Amino acid sequence: MENTKKVAANAATAFNTTNEYATLYDLRMSEHFTLRNLALSGAVIRHRIANVPTTEETERLRALCENVLEPLRRRFGVIRVVNGYHSEELCRLTGSDNTSQHRLGEEADIHVSSMEVAQKMHDFIKANLVYDQLRLEAKPKTCTIILHVSYKVVRG
């Protein structure tokens, strides 16, 4: 019972922390995606941090949504982004690379329900979309399948 109370208290505190940024997280990136989908993760809530991108990083996230995530959603229905933008603080807390495409606002990790669906999504992206990096990752221990995809804005 005591553990349940601690979990509830932590969840309430995390909600209050993220609630401060509710308006910002509601920023529309594309038709079906908001900043919340790309910046609010379990780690952000657990560590109670503001994972807020700069204007430039936000524009990169918007390009990722418009050029990869939206076409993927139109083809496969609702998709679940489990990992998107990483602030410097989030990189430090999670031990991720501060120069990763997550840090730049160029990458999303999508949780996929089965390897069959993941392979279809992978093949669709490869055949139809412009992307920078694309890979599938299966974690047998947790039975998790993640599709990693990134998009770089080409500046000319």
Side-chain angles (χ1 to χ4, degrees):
M1 185 65 162
E2 190 61 33
N3 251 358
T4 305
K5 288 179 183 176
K6 284 181 184 178
V7 169
N10 285 341
T13 304
F15 175 77
N16 289 339
T17 302
T18 57
N19 203 27
E20 292 173 34
Y21 300 97
T23 303
L24 178 63
Y25 285 141
D26 288 337
L27 179 65
R28 180 111 352 241
M29 301 278 98
S30 63
E31 183 181 355
H32 295 100
F33 295 93
T34 63
L35 185 57
R36 177 181 317 280
N37 300 120
L38 298 157
L40 195 58
S41 66
V44 170
I45 293 169
R46 197 169 38 258
H47 293 291
R48 299 184 186 103
I49 63 169
N51 191 41
V52 179
T54 64
T55 301
E56 187 175 334
E57 293 159 349
T58 300
E59 288 309 309
R60 289 185 195 132
L61 287 166
R62 185 170 277 118
L64 173 65
C65 288
E66 291 170 351
N67 292 284
V68 178
L69 300 181
E70 278 296 336
L72 199 60
R73 188 189 189 286
R74 280 193 296 275
R75 173 66 179 82
F76 293 94
V78 175
I79 61 174
R80 182 173 167 227
V81 176
V82 293
N83 206 357
Y85 174 72
H86 286 196
S87 64
E88 246 182 85
E89 184 178 12
L90 183 59
C91 286
R92 187 177 47 77
L93 289 169
T94 60
S96 61
D97 185 357
N98 200 34
T99 61
S100 76
Q101 287 186 291
H102 285 293
R103 176 69 191 95
L104 299 172
E106 297 174 340
E107 184 173 2
D109 298 340
I110 302 162
H111 179 268
V112 188
S113 60
S114 72
M115 187 52 86
E116 180 183 352
V117 172
Q119 192 63 56
K120 286 179 182 179
M121 291 173 118
H122 178 277
D123 293 347
F124 175 81
I125 292 170
K126 196 168 188 174
N128 300 289
L129 305 178
V130 175
Y131 63 93
D132 181 51
Q133 292 184 40
L134 178 64
R135 72 182 189 284
L136 272 174
E137 179 182 2
K139 299 179 180 183
K141 259 187 172 176
T142 59
C143 297
T144 305
I145 302 162
I146 302 292
L147 178 64
H148 304 268
V149 62
S150 67
Y151 178 85
K152 275 189 174 183
V153 176
V154 180
R155 291 184 168 78

